Amino acid sequence: MIDQQMPLRGGAARLPVRPRTGRFLVLAVVFICAACGLVYELELVALASYLIGDSVTQASVVLSVMVFAMGIGSLLAKRLRSRAAVGFGLLEAALALIGGTSALVLYASFAWLGESRHALVGFSLAIGILIGAEIPLLMTLIQRVDRQDAGGAVADLFAADYVGALVGGLAFPFLLLPMMGQLTGALFTGAVNAAAGGALVLWVFRRDLGTRERWLLIVVNAAVIALLATATVLVDDFERAARRAVYGPQVRVAVQTGVQEVVLTGPGRGALDLYLDGRLRVSSRDEYRFHEALVHPAMKGTHRRVLILGGGDGLAAREVLRYPDVESVVVVELDPGVTRLARTDPALSRLNGHAFDDPRLTTASADAFNWLRATPDRYDVVVADLPDPGITASTKLYAAEFYGLVAEALEPGGRLVVHAGPVSGRPAVFWTVDASVRAGGLTTVPYRVDGRLTGFAAGPDRATGGSGAPRDWGFVLASRRATGALGLDPGAPALRTLGVRELRAAREAAERTRQRGVEPSTLVHPRYREDR
């Protein structure tokens, strides 16, 4: 007697569709499942990079754990081959539930527990095991549908799998993320996954199911889809609660631009904080120290034309525009959403002294690297107010090639100033930036400023200067010729610490010549004057 579950023997007679139609439906589900699986994978990488940082490390952890787990899943699937139909249906329901809710659980873990690494590894392992078990079961099912040699079946399955992965990989950044966001996109993907897997088994392979198995699959898939739908309805309330847990109760603006998530909090207790992708970019507690230390040393000399790379918050521009002999300022910011917020939000525009209303200032929404390649203009001062050099996405903006482009954009005797990260917290990164600037053909003078009160990322400790937060800022001042004219030693790089008196002298020199009639109290944080 012929076993109906054997791959190469009949079984097609028990199916409600013709073999060719059944084969097409199985391959279509392979395509959908592959797309959903890759979306889960990319979702984990994207959210882990956002919550934890260091996208290279997070991508390596997710990919390596998932590939390892897929091997385990393939081995475990051997025990399900005798009941491939019901096994596949339950497996897809589990994958839809775990993958669809993974982003919610990761975000909740970070928001309320302050740690998401263990959840990341756990989800990578679970999703990888379930994805790895798919192919062996689908191999059994497709051979149940159509008498086909194993080689041909494998070729068809992997072709559908790879094309589905391509579609999922493109759909995530270009459709799901911009249209739905990370949380809703994952939930939607889970619902599609459950519906596709359940429909295939309950229709095409329904004659292979007993009554109890059929009702089990119906109830399980309905429950999973209902749970994902309910979570989708409540996701906005969840995000608001999570943001309050992460950023505090005074979230002023929270928006996902085409580049990043932008969150503005406060002003509570006199503090206004700007977060970009979860990282603290600006805090009114101490931004005056940072931006005055960044700008004023480079402004000693000719400064008619100034280029600011980054700085979409307008705070570096505020310091530059204190000088009445500045004729033009160009701000090149990748994210137009940041400059729009800095221009229109009353609290942030007040903090930046309404810099974007100054007729001398123009903005360009572009990648700084590509913009420098294309511009024919030359500048007296270039201020690199860019993301922290420890952030992987900004690596190219701290490369020797980038500084070579900056050198070409400088007038003879022009100056560049770069934020190079905290000296005390990451000395290797700081001195690597200094070496890269010199490799770009510029003479450097590294310096630091103490008095930092805030850290890098959202959270009760890091955002408010907890025990692990850096206590200083490091900068590199550079020129196309020796920078001794600026009052600093142009010899071999030796770290210089600038104190409050030196920064005060630079600022007061600009104030004495200012003719714009803006009261200092509208531009300078009160704490700065108290520290004097």
Side-chain angles (χ1 to χ4, degrees), residues 461-483:
D461 291 329
R462 287 173 288 179
T464 57
S467 59
R471 297 297 180 183
D472 64 0
W473 293 283
F475 305 91
V476 176
L477 181 64
S479 175
R480 292 185 61 178
R481 64 184 183 188
T483 53

mmCIF file with all atom_site columns, all heavy atoms in Angstrom, residues 461-483:
data_model
loop_
_atom_site.group_PDB
_atom_site.id
_atom_site.type_symbol
_atom_site.label_atom_id
_atom_site.label_alt_id
_atom_site.label_comp_id
_atom_site.label_asym_id
_atom_site.label_entity_id
_atom_site.label_seq_id
_atom_site.pdbx_PDB_ins_code
_atom_site.Cartn_x
_atom_site.Cartn_y
_atom_site.Cartn_z
_atom_site.occupancy
_atom_site.B_iso_or_equiv
_atom_site.pdbx_formal_charge
_atom_site.auth_seq_id
_atom_site.auth_comp_id
_atom_site.auth_asym_id
_atom_site.auth_atom_id
_atom_site.pdbx_PDB_model_num
ATOM 1   N N   . ASP A 1 461 ? 19.204 57.895 33.336 1.00 0.00 ? 461 ASP A N   1
ATOM 2   C CA  . ASP A 1 461 ? 20.602 58.112 33.724 1.00 0.00 ? 461 ASP A CA  1
ATOM 3   C C   . ASP A 1 461 ? 21.380 58.846 32.658 1.00 0.00 ? 461 ASP A C   1
ATOM 4   O O   . ASP A 1 461 ? 22.012 59.854 32.898 1.00 0.00 ? 461 ASP A O   1
ATOM 5   C CB  . ASP A 1 461 ? 21.284 56.770 34.020 1.00 0.00 ? 461 ASP A CB  1
ATOM 6   C CG  . ASP A 1 461 ? 20.734 56.124 35.276 1.00 0.00 ? 461 ASP A CG  1
ATOM 7   O OD1 . ASP A 1 461 ? 20.327 56.877 36.173 1.00 0.00 ? 461 ASP A OD1 1
ATOM 8   O OD2 . ASP A 1 461 ? 20.691 54.886 35.342 1.00 0.00 ? 461 ASP A OD2 1
ATOM 9   N N   . ARG A 1 462 ? 21.315 58.316 31.420 1.00 0.00 ? 462 ARG A N   1
ATOM 10  C CA  . ARG A 1 462 ? 22.187 58.860 30.389 1.00 0.00 ? 462 ARG A CA  1
ATOM 11  C C   . ARG A 1 462 ? 21.771 60.258 29.953 1.00 0.00 ? 462 ARG A C   1
ATOM 12  O O   . ARG A 1 462 ? 22.604 61.089 29.637 1.00 0.00 ? 462 ARG A O   1
ATOM 13  C CB  . ARG A 1 462 ? 22.215 57.915 29.184 1.00 0.00 ? 462 ARG A CB  1
ATOM 14  C CG  . ARG A 1 462 ? 23.010 56.666 29.448 1.00 0.00 ? 462 ARG A CG  1
ATOM 15  C CD  . ARG A 1 462 ? 22.889 55.692 28.311 1.00 0.00 ? 462 ARG A CD  1
ATOM 16  N NE  . ARG A 1 462 ? 21.564 55.103 28.296 1.00 0.00 ? 462 ARG A NE  1
ATOM 17  C CZ  . ARG A 1 462 ? 21.171 54.221 27.390 1.00 0.00 ? 462 ARG A CZ  1
ATOM 18  N NH1 . ARG A 1 462 ? 21.988 53.862 26.431 1.00 0.00 ? 462 ARG A NH1 1
ATOM 19  N NH2 . ARG A 1 462 ? 19.958 53.700 27.438 1.00 0.00 ? 462 ARG A NH2 1
ATOM 20  N N   . ALA A 1 463 ? 20.492 60.541 29.923 1.00 0.00 ? 463 ALA A N   1
ATOM 21  C CA  . ALA A 1 463 ? 20.048 61.839 29.438 1.00 0.00 ? 463 ALA A CA  1
ATOM 22  C C   . ALA A 1 463 ? 20.263 62.939 30.467 1.00 0.00 ? 463 ALA A C   1
ATOM 23  O O   . ALA A 1 463 ? 20.287 64.104 30.129 1.00 0.00 ? 463 ALA A O   1
ATOM 24  C CB  . ALA A 1 463 ? 18.569 61.775 29.065 1.00 0.00 ? 463 ALA A CB  1
ATOM 25  N N   . THR A 1 464 ? 20.415 62.597 31.698 1.00 0.00 ? 464 THR A N   1
ATOM 26  C CA  . THR A 1 464 ? 20.544 63.616 32.724 1.00 0.00 ? 464 THR A CA  1
ATOM 27  C C   . THR A 1 464 ? 21.894 63.598 33.415 1.00 0.00 ? 464 THR A C   1
ATOM 28  O O   . THR A 1 464 ? 22.070 64.146 34.492 1.00 0.00 ? 464 THR A O   1
ATOM 29  C CB  . THR A 1 464 ? 19.440 63.424 33.785 1.00 0.00 ? 464 THR A CB  1
ATOM 30  O OG1 . THR A 1 464 ? 19.534 62.097 34.321 1.00 0.00 ? 464 THR A OG1 1
ATOM 31  C CG2 . THR A 1 464 ? 18.069 63.615 33.179 1.00 0.00 ? 464 THR A CG2 1
ATOM 32  N N   . GLY A 1 465 ? 22.851 62.957 32.781 1.00 0.00 ? 465 GLY A N   1
ATOM 33  C CA  . GLY A 1 465 ? 24.192 62.979 33.322 1.00 0.00 ? 465 GLY A CA  1
ATOM 34  C C   . GLY A 1 465 ? 24.407 62.007 34.443 1.00 0.00 ? 465 GLY A C   1
ATOM 35  O O   . GLY A 1 465 ? 24.918 62.362 35.501 1.00 0.00 ? 465 GLY A O   1
ATOM 36  N N   . GLY A 1 466 ? 24.011 60.744 34.259 1.00 0.00 ? 466 GLY A N   1
ATOM 37  C CA  . GLY A 1 466 ? 24.221 59.720 35.270 1.00 0.00 ? 466 GLY A CA  1
ATOM 38  C C   . GLY A 1 466 ? 25.682 59.370 35.400 1.00 0.00 ? 466 GLY A C   1
ATOM 39  O O   . GLY A 1 466 ? 26.561 59.969 34.778 1.00 0.00 ? 466 GLY A O   1
ATOM 40  N N   . SER A 1 467 ? 25.958 58.354 36.181 1.00 0.00 ? 467 SER A N   1
ATOM 41  C CA  . SER A 1 467 ? 27.344 58.009 36.489 1.00 0.00 ? 467 SER A CA  1
ATOM 42  C C   . SER A 1 467 ? 28.125 57.598 35.252 1.00 0.00 ? 467 SER A C   1
ATOM 43  O O   . SER A 1 467 ? 29.337 57.754 35.208 1.00 0.00 ? 467 SER A O   1
ATOM 44  C CB  . SER A 1 467 ? 27.364 56.871 37.519 1.00 0.00 ? 467 SER A CB  1
ATOM 45  O OG  . SER A 1 467 ? 26.684 55.730 37.016 1.00 0.00 ? 467 SER A OG  1
ATOM 46  N N   . GLY A 1 468 ? 27.435 57.061 34.221 1.00 0.00 ? 468 GLY A N   1
ATOM 47  C CA  . GLY A 1 468 ? 28.145 56.626 33.036 1.00 0.00 ? 468 GLY A CA  1
ATOM 48  C C   . GLY A 1 468 ? 28.238 57.672 31.946 1.00 0.00 ? 468 GLY A C   1
ATOM 49  O O   . GLY A 1 468 ? 28.773 57.410 30.879 1.00 0.00 ? 468 GLY A O   1
ATOM 50  N N   . ALA A 1 469 ? 27.686 58.857 32.180 1.00 0.00 ? 469 ALA A N   1
ATOM 51  C CA  . ALA A 1 469 ? 27.658 59.895 31.155 1.00 0.00 ? 469 ALA A CA  1
ATOM 52  C C   . ALA A 1 469 ? 29.026 60.563 31.032 1.00 0.00 ? 469 ALA A C   1
ATOM 53  O O   . ALA A 1 469 ? 29.750 60.717 32.016 1.00 0.00 ? 469 ALA A O   1
ATOM 54  C CB  . ALA A 1 469 ? 26.605 60.938 31.496 1.00 0.00 ? 469 ALA A CB  1
ATOM 55  N N   . PRO A 1 470 ? 29.415 60.984 29.817 1.00 0.00 ? 470 PRO A N   1
ATOM 56  C CA  . PRO A 1 470 ? 30.682 61.698 29.645 1.00 0.00 ? 470 PRO A CA  1
ATOM 57  C C   . PRO A 1 470 ? 30.631 63.057 30.316 1.00 0.00 ? 470 PRO A C   1
ATOM 58  O O   . PRO A 1 470 ? 29.561 63.652 30.460 1.00 0.00 ? 470 PRO A O   1
ATOM 59  C CB  . PRO A 1 470 ? 30.803 61.825 28.123 1.00 0.00 ? 470 PRO A CB  1
ATOM 60  C CG  . PRO A 1 470 ? 29.414 61.720 27.609 1.00 0.00 ? 470 PRO A CG  1
ATOM 61  C CD  . PRO A 1 470 ? 28.699 60.800 28.541 1.00 0.00 ? 470 PRO A CD  1
ATOM 62  N N   . ARG A 1 471 ? 31.806 63.559 30.697 1.00 0.00 ? 471 ARG A N   1
ATOM 63  C CA  . ARG A 1 471 ? 31.894 64.816 31.432 1.00 0.00 ? 471 ARG A CA  1
ATOM 64  C C   . ARG A 1 471 ? 32.554 65.933 30.637 1.00 0.00 ? 471 ARG A C   1
ATOM 65  O O   . ARG A 1 471 ? 32.775 67.009 31.185 1.00 0.00 ? 471 ARG A O   1
ATOM 66  C CB  . ARG A 1 471 ? 32.674 64.595 32.736 1.00 0.00 ? 471 ARG A CB  1
ATOM 67  C CG  . ARG A 1 471 ? 31.994 63.620 33.703 1.00 0.00 ? 471 ARG A CG  1
ATOM 68  C CD  . ARG A 1 471 ? 30.651 64.139 34.157 1.00 0.00 ? 471 ARG A CD  1
ATOM 69  N NE  . ARG A 1 471 ? 29.990 63.223 35.085 1.00 0.00 ? 471 ARG A NE  1
ATOM 70  C CZ  . ARG A 1 471 ? 28.777 63.423 35.579 1.00 0.00 ? 471 ARG A CZ  1
ATOM 71  N NH1 . ARG A 1 471 ? 28.094 64.486 35.215 1.00 0.00 ? 471 ARG A NH1 1
ATOM 72  N NH2 . ARG A 1 471 ? 28.241 62.545 36.419 1.00 0.00 ? 471 ARG A NH2 1
ATOM 73  N N   . ASP A 1 472 ? 32.869 65.684 29.385 1.00 0.00 ? 472 ASP A N   1
ATOM 74  C CA  . ASP A 1 472 ? 33.520 66.729 28.587 1.00 0.00 ? 472 ASP A CA  1
ATOM 75  C C   . ASP A 1 472 ? 33.140 66.571 27.126 1.00 0.00 ? 472 ASP A C   1
ATOM 76  O O   . ASP A 1 472 ? 32.463 65.620 26.727 1.00 0.00 ? 472 ASP A O   1
ATOM 77  C CB  . ASP A 1 472 ? 35.042 66.670 28.759 1.00 0.00 ? 472 ASP A CB  1
ATOM 78  C CG  . ASP A 1 472 ? 35.634 65.357 28.223 1.00 0.00 ? 472 ASP A CG  1
ATOM 79  O OD1 . ASP A 1 472 ? 34.876 64.502 27.725 1.00 0.00 ? 472 ASP A OD1 1
ATOM 80  O OD2 . ASP A 1 472 ? 36.864 65.188 28.304 1.00 0.00 ? 472 ASP A OD2 1
ATOM 81  N N   . TRP A 1 473 ? 33.547 67.561 26.323 1.00 0.00 ? 473 TRP A N   1
ATOM 82  C CA  . TRP A 1 473 ? 33.452 67.488 24.873 1.00 0.00 ? 473 TRP A CA  1
ATOM 83  C C   . TRP A 1 473 ? 34.851 67.666 24.295 1.00 0.00 ? 473 TRP A C   1
ATOM 84  O O   . TRP A 1 473 ? 35.658 68.450 24.801 1.00 0.00 ? 473 TRP A O   1
ATOM 85  C CB  . TRP A 1 473 ? 32.578 68.603 24.304 1.00 0.00 ? 473 TRP A CB  1
ATOM 86  C CG  . TRP A 1 473 ? 31.129 68.525 24.647 1.00 0.00 ? 473 TRP A CG  1
ATOM 87  C CD1 . TRP A 1 473 ? 30.186 67.702 24.107 1.00 0.00 ? 473 TRP A CD1 1
ATOM 88  C CD2 . TRP A 1 473 ? 30.435 69.342 25.595 1.00 0.00 ? 473 TRP A CD2 1
ATOM 89  N NE1 . TRP A 1 473 ? 28.955 67.946 24.662 1.00 0.00 ? 473 TRP A NE1 1
ATOM 90  C CE2 . TRP A 1 473 ? 29.075 68.946 25.583 1.00 0.00 ? 473 TRP A CE2 1
ATOM 91  C CE3 . TRP A 1 473 ? 30.822 70.365 26.466 1.00 0.00 ? 473 TRP A CE3 1
ATOM 92  C CZ2 . TRP A 1 473 ? 28.118 69.543 26.388 1.00 0.00 ? 473 TRP A CZ2 1
ATOM 93  C CZ3 . TRP A 1 473 ? 29.868 70.952 27.270 1.00 0.00 ? 473 TRP A CZ3 1
ATOM 94  C CH2 . TRP A 1 473 ? 28.536 70.538 27.236 1.00 0.00 ? 473 TRP A CH2 1
ATOM 95  N N   . GLY A 1 474 ? 35.122 66.941 23.235 1.00 0.00 ? 474 GLY A N   1
ATOM 96  C CA  . GLY A 1 474 ? 36.405 67.097 22.556 1.00 0.00 ? 474 GLY A CA  1
ATOM 97  C C   . GLY A 1 474 ? 36.200 67.702 21.175 1.00 0.00 ? 474 GLY A C   1
ATOM 98  O O   . GLY A 1 474 ? 35.221 67.387 20.484 1.00 0.00 ? 474 GLY A O   1
ATOM 99  N N   . PHE A 1 475 ? 37.111 68.564 20.772 1.00 0.00 ? 475 PHE A N   1
ATOM 100 C CA  . PHE A 1 475 ? 37.028 69.235 19.477 1.00 0.00 ? 475 PHE A CA  1
ATOM 101 C C   . PHE A 1 475 ? 38.388 69.197 18.793 1.00 0.00 ? 475 PHE A C   1
ATOM 102 O O   . PHE A 1 475 ? 39.428 69.067 19.445 1.00 0.00 ? 475 PHE A O   1
ATOM 103 C CB  . PHE A 1 475 ? 36.604 70.699 19.635 1.00 0.00 ? 475 PHE A CB  1
ATOM 104 C CG  . PHE A 1 475 ? 35.314 70.891 20.384 1.00 0.00 ? 475 PHE A CG  1
ATOM 105 C CD1 . PHE A 1 475 ? 35.317 71.060 21.763 1.00 0.00 ? 475 PHE A CD1 1
ATOM 106 C CD2 . PHE A 1 475 ? 34.103 70.900 19.720 1.00 0.00 ? 475 PHE A CD2 1
ATOM 107 C CE1 . PHE A 1 475 ? 34.139 71.229 22.466 1.00 0.00 ? 475 PHE A CE1 1
ATOM 108 C CE2 . PHE A 1 475 ? 32.919 71.070 20.404 1.00 0.00 ? 475 PHE A CE2 1
ATOM 109 C CZ  . PHE A 1 475 ? 32.933 71.235 21.780 1.00 0.00 ? 475 PHE A CZ  1
ATOM 110 N N   . VAL A 1 476 ? 38.359 69.320 17.487 1.00 0.00 ? 476 VAL A N   1
ATOM 111 C CA  . VAL A 1 476 ? 39.585 69.451 16.704 1.00 0.00 ? 476 VAL A CA  1
ATOM 112 C C   . VAL A 1 476 ? 39.459 70.703 15.845 1.00 0.00 ? 476 VAL A C   1
ATOM 113 O O   . VAL A 1 476 ? 38.547 70.821 15.024 1.00 0.00 ? 476 VAL A O   1
ATOM 114 C CB  . VAL A 1 476 ? 39.821 68.221 15.807 1.00 0.00 ? 476 VAL A CB  1
ATOM 115 C CG1 . VAL A 1 476 ? 41.054 68.444 14.922 1.00 0.00 ? 476 VAL A CG1 1
ATOM 116 C CG2 . VAL A 1 476 ? 40.004 66.970 16.656 1.00 0.00 ? 476 VAL A CG2 1
ATOM 117 N N   . LEU A 1 477 ? 40.367 71.643 16.069 1.00 0.00 ? 477 LEU A N   1
ATOM 118 C CA  . LEU A 1 477 ? 40.448 72.865 15.259 1.00 0.00 ? 477 LEU A CA  1
ATOM 119 C C   . LEU A 1 477 ? 41.513 72.645 14.202 1.00 0.00 ? 477 LEU A C   1
ATOM 120 O O   . LEU A 1 477 ? 42.600 72.153 14.509 1.00 0.00 ? 477 LEU A O   1
ATOM 121 C CB  . LEU A 1 477 ? 40.812 74.055 16.144 1.00 0.00 ? 477 LEU A CB  1
ATOM 122 C CG  . LEU A 1 477 ? 40.920 75.418 15.475 1.00 0.00 ? 477 LEU A CG  1
ATOM 123 C CD1 . LEU A 1 477 ? 39.577 75.860 14.914 1.00 0.00 ? 477 LEU A CD1 1
ATOM 124 C CD2 . LEU A 1 477 ? 41.460 76.442 16.476 1.00 0.00 ? 477 LEU A CD2 1
ATOM 125 N N   . ALA A 1 478 ? 41.213 72.959 12.955 1.00 0.00 ? 478 ALA A N   1
ATOM 126 C CA  . ALA A 1 478 ? 42.154 72.665 11.873 1.00 0.00 ? 478 ALA A CA  1
ATOM 127 C C   . ALA A 1 478 ? 42.179 73.815 10.877 1.00 0.00 ? 478 ALA A C   1
ATOM 128 O O   . ALA A 1 478 ? 41.241 74.610 10.784 1.00 0.00 ? 478 ALA A O   1
ATOM 129 C CB  . ALA A 1 478 ? 41.747 71.372 11.159 1.00 0.00 ? 478 ALA A CB  1
ATOM 130 N N   . SER A 1 479 ? 43.280 73.883 10.130 1.00 0.00 ? 479 SER A N   1
ATOM 131 C CA  . SER A 1 479 ? 43.455 74.944 9.149  1.00 0.00 ? 479 SER A CA  1
ATOM 132 C C   . SER A 1 479 ? 44.297 74.433 8.000  1.00 0.00 ? 479 SER A C   1
ATOM 133 O O   . SER A 1 479 ? 45.039 73.448 8.137  1.00 0.00 ? 479 SER A O   1
ATOM 134 C CB  . SER A 1 479 ? 44.130 76.155 9.793  1.00 0.00 ? 479 SER A CB  1
ATOM 135 O OG  . SER A 1 479 ? 44.408 77.146 8.817  1.00 0.00 ? 479 SER A OG  1
ATOM 136 N N   . ARG A 1 480 ? 44.182 75.098 6.872  1.00 0.00 ? 480 ARG A N   1
ATOM 137 C CA  . ARG A 1 480 ? 45.015 74.756 5.719  1.00 0.00 ? 480 ARG A CA  1
ATOM 138 C C   . ARG A 1 480 ? 46.443 75.232 5.920  1.00 0.00 ? 480 ARG A C   1
ATOM 139 O O   . ARG A 1 480 ? 47.313 74.896 5.139  1.00 0.00 ? 480 ARG A O   1
ATOM 140 C CB  . ARG A 1 480 ? 44.433 75.371 4.446  1.00 0.00 ? 480 ARG A CB  1
ATOM 141 C CG  . ARG A 1 480 ? 43.113 74.736 4.039  1.00 0.00 ? 480 ARG A CG  1
ATOM 142 C CD  . ARG A 1 480 ? 42.609 75.270 2.728  1.00 0.00 ? 480 ARG A CD  1
ATOM 143 N NE  . ARG A 1 480 ? 43.529 74.996 1.641  1.00 0.00 ? 480 ARG A NE  1
ATOM 144 C CZ  . ARG A 1 480 ? 43.294 75.343 0.371  1.00 0.00 ? 480 ARG A CZ  1
ATOM 145 N NH1 . ARG A 1 480 ? 42.184 75.982 0.054  1.00 0.00 ? 480 ARG A NH1 1
ATOM 146 N NH2 . ARG A 1 480 ? 44.174 75.063 -0.569 1.00 0.00 ? 480 ARG A NH2 1
ATOM 147 N N   . ARG A 1 481 ? 46.677 76.051 6.924  1.00 0.00 ? 481 ARG A N   1
ATOM 148 C CA  . ARG A 1 481 ? 48.046 76.425 7.284  1.00 0.00 ? 481 ARG A CA  1
ATOM 149 C C   . ARG A 1 481 ? 48.136 76.441 8.799  1.00 0.00 ? 481 ARG A C   1
ATOM 150 O O   . ARG A 1 481 ? 47.151 76.237 9.488  1.00 0.00 ? 481 ARG A O   1
ATOM 151 C CB  . ARG A 1 481 ? 48.403 77.791 6.699  1.00 0.00 ? 481 ARG A CB  1
ATOM 152 C CG  . ARG A 1 481 ? 47.588 78.940 7.244  1.00 0.00 ? 481 ARG A CG  1
ATOM 153 C CD  . ARG A 1 481 ? 47.952 80.214 6.516  1.00 0.00 ? 481 ARG A CD  1
ATOM 154 N NE  . ARG A 1 481 ? 47.240 81.364 7.069  1.00 0.00 ? 481 ARG A NE  1
ATOM 155 C CZ  . ARG A 1 481 ? 47.264 82.566 6.524  1.00 0.00 ? 481 ARG A CZ  1
ATOM 156 N NH1 . ARG A 1 481 ? 47.964 82.758 5.419  1.00 0.00 ? 481 ARG A NH1 1
ATOM 157 N NH2 . ARG A 1 481 ? 46.613 83.565 7.066  1.00 0.00 ? 481 ARG A NH2 1
ATOM 158 N N   . ALA A 1 482 ? 49.300 76.682 9.353  1.00 0.00 ? 482 ALA A N   1
ATOM 159 C CA  . ALA A 1 482 ? 49.508 76.605 10.796 1.00 0.00 ? 482 ALA A CA  1
ATOM 160 C C   . ALA A 1 482 ? 48.472 77.448 11.538 1.00 0.00 ? 482 ALA A C   1
ATOM 161 O O   . ALA A 1 482 ? 48.172 78.574 11.134 1.00 0.00 ? 482 ALA A O   1
ATOM 162 C CB  . ALA A 1 482 ? 50.910 77.088 11.145 1.00 0.00 ? 482 ALA A CB  1
ATOM 163 N N   . THR A 1 483 ? 47.938 76.900 12.607 1.00 0.00 ? 483 THR A N   1
ATOM 164 C CA  . THR A 1 483 ? 46.884 77.574 13.343 1.00 0.00 ? 483 THR A CA  1
ATOM 165 C C   . THR A 1 483 ? 47.412 78.399 14.513 1.00 0.00 ? 483 THR A C   1
ATOM 166 O O   . THR A 1 483 ? 46.661 78.775 15.397 1.00 0.00 ? 483 THR A O   1
ATOM 167 C CB  . THR A 1 483 ? 45.881 76.532 13.881 1.00 0.00 ? 483 THR A CB  1
ATOM 168 O OG1 . THR A 1 483 ? 46.605 75.543 14.606 1.00 0.00 ? 483 THR A OG1 1
ATOM 169 C CG2 . THR A 1 483 ? 45.113 75.886 12.764 1.00 0.00 ? 483 THR A CG2 1
#
